[in-house]
Amino acid sequence: FDFEAARRDLEAHILLPLQVARNAVGRVRAGGTLLFMGGTGGRATAPGLALISALTAAGPAMTRNLALELAPIRVNLIAAGFVDTPLSAALLGDQLEARREQLRTTLPIRRVVGPADIAALAVHIMANTALTGYQRAIREAIIGQREGQEEPIIGDPIGADGLKEDLEAEMIAYT
């Protein structure tokens, strides 16, 4: 176990957001937004992921608590799964195209989530002043696109299984 790496991860995932939040008081206007970016690694279980899993899973609880502590400043979190970025390419190496193809063939949207999808959700969260303490996990199943339209639909799949056959009919559209 690399304790120096663990300290860096603790700094990046917990202490840095807390420092940003502390410094926001008196600098961010009432109703303004702190929007943190996280991941979905907290859901994964595998050898070697104990610490990063715990740190990632702490993000939603920290967000909810900071929202209460900093009110009326709003605090929200986007926890992105696979997003097709240069970082994804670097991490997956020669497995990148296989992962893209897997997502294209298994996801209802038949494409891979990209940075523009995350940006659209970020704008929505910042513009919707009713949201605070909100965590939105971006898994590829919650972003859709209506045929013939360029704008994405961002919403929550409804139902116990989190994904229905007719995704468009089962989404609450936010945009």
Side-chain angles (χ1 to χ4, degrees):
F1 192 79
D2 182 346
F3 282 96
E4 274 309 306
R7 284 182 185 89
R8 286 190 303 273
D9 286 340
L10 180 65
E11 173 74 28
H13 291 272
I14 302 295
L15 300 178
L16 182 60
L18 289 172
Q19 188 173 18
V20 167
R22 182 188 72 196
N23 287 311
V25 176
R27 291 181 173 89
V28 175
R29 67 174 171 74
T33 302
L34 296 181
L35 181 56
F36 294 111
M37 300 300 293
T40 58
R43 296 185 181 103
T45 53
L49 294 182
L51 179 64
I52 199 65
S53 228
L55 294 174
T56 303
M62 185 172 61
T63 299
R64 288 188 304 274
N65 283 285
L66 287 173
L68 292 173
E69 293 172 20
L70 300 180
I73 297 171
R74 299 178 306 116
V75 183
N76 297 295
L77 169 70
I78 294 176
F82 181 88
V83 181
D84 202 353
T85 65
L87 176 61
S88 299
L91 292 172
L92 291 174
D94 61 358
Q95 298 296 313
L96 177 63
E97 196 49 48
R99 178 69 171 141
R100 287 174 175 157
E101 187 56 30
Q102 176 201 22
L103 294 171
R104 283 187 207 109
T105 59
T106 59
L107 297 174
I109 61 173
R110 300 292 185 238
R111 67 177 181 85
V112 178
V113 171
D117 299 309
I118 304 302
L121 179 59
V123 168
H124 164 70
I125 290 171
M126 289 184 287
N128 186 336
T129 59
L131 296 177
T132 192
Y134 179 76
Q135 181 236 339
R136 178 71 276 136
I138 294 291
R139 291 182 303 237
E140 296 82 0
I142 69 166
I143 297 179
Q145 195 162 12
R146 286 195 179 97
E147 191 171 328
Q149 291 185 339
E150 291 184 32
E151 292 297 313
I153 301 166
I154 302 173
D156 298 319
I158 299 172
D161 63 359
L163 185 61
K164 298 288 186 180
E165 287 181 22
D166 185 1
L167 186 63
E168 186 172 323
E170 298 294 336
M171 291 181 77
I172 299 170
Y174 289 126
T175 58

